[in-house]
Amino acid sequence: MLAVLQPITRFEDCPNYGGNGNASAFANPAWDFYLMVLLFGWVFLAVLEQTLSITRRGRGRADFALRAAGAITLTTIASCGLFVNVAVLCH
């Protein structure tokens, strides 16, 4: 999705370069909010997946807990890594 939205990737390309104030890395500033909502939704869906019974099939408690913790941790780290890089670039 970031490839389609083509956010600004260099600080020098920001609309507010050399000045004060906040700017968006996207052509449409609403995508700052939309991206955050989509990434929170992705983490929510990862948590929801861990509650499904099919996820626990054939696993012990420790295996299930490790898998759930790993999945939630990885999606959270990936979401924060994607969002923070784009969100703070022009602010």
Side-chain angles (χ1 to χ4, degrees), residues 1 4 8 10 13 16-17 21 27 32-33 38-39 44 48 54 56 58-59 74-75 79 84 89 91:
M1 184 166 78
V4 172
I8 294 170
R10 294 180 339 138
D13 294 337
N16 65 343
Y17 179 69
D32 286 335
F33 176 72
L38 286 172
L39 293 174
F44 174 75
L48 184 64
I54 197 164
R56 287 182 242 137
R59 293 184 175 89
L74 287 175
T75 57
S79 292
V84 169
L89 183 67
H91 291 276

Side-chain angles (χ1 to χ4, degrees), residues 3-84:
V4 172
L5 293 174
Q6 298 176 348
I8 294 170
T9 56
R10 294 180 339 138
F11 180 68
E12 294 82 19
D13 294 337
C14 290
N16 65 343
Y17 179 69
N20 293 329
N22 292 331
S24 178
F26 299 103
N28 181 356
W31 273 106
D32 286 335
F33 176 72
Y34 297 152
L35 181 62
M36 182 180 64
V37 169
L38 286 172
L39 293 174
F40 274 124
W42 182 34
V43 173
F44 174 75
L45 289 175
V47 170
L48 184 64
E49 177 194 12
Q50 301 312 310
T51 64
L52 299 174
S53 61
I54 197 164
T55 307
R56 287 182 242 137
R57 185 177 50 195
R59 293 184 175 89
R61 287 184 179 212
D63 291 338
F64 170 70
L66 286 173
R67 182 184 187 279
I72 294 168
T73 302
L74 287 175
T75 57
T76 303
I77 289 171
S79 292
C80 290
L82 286 171
F83 182 69
V84 169

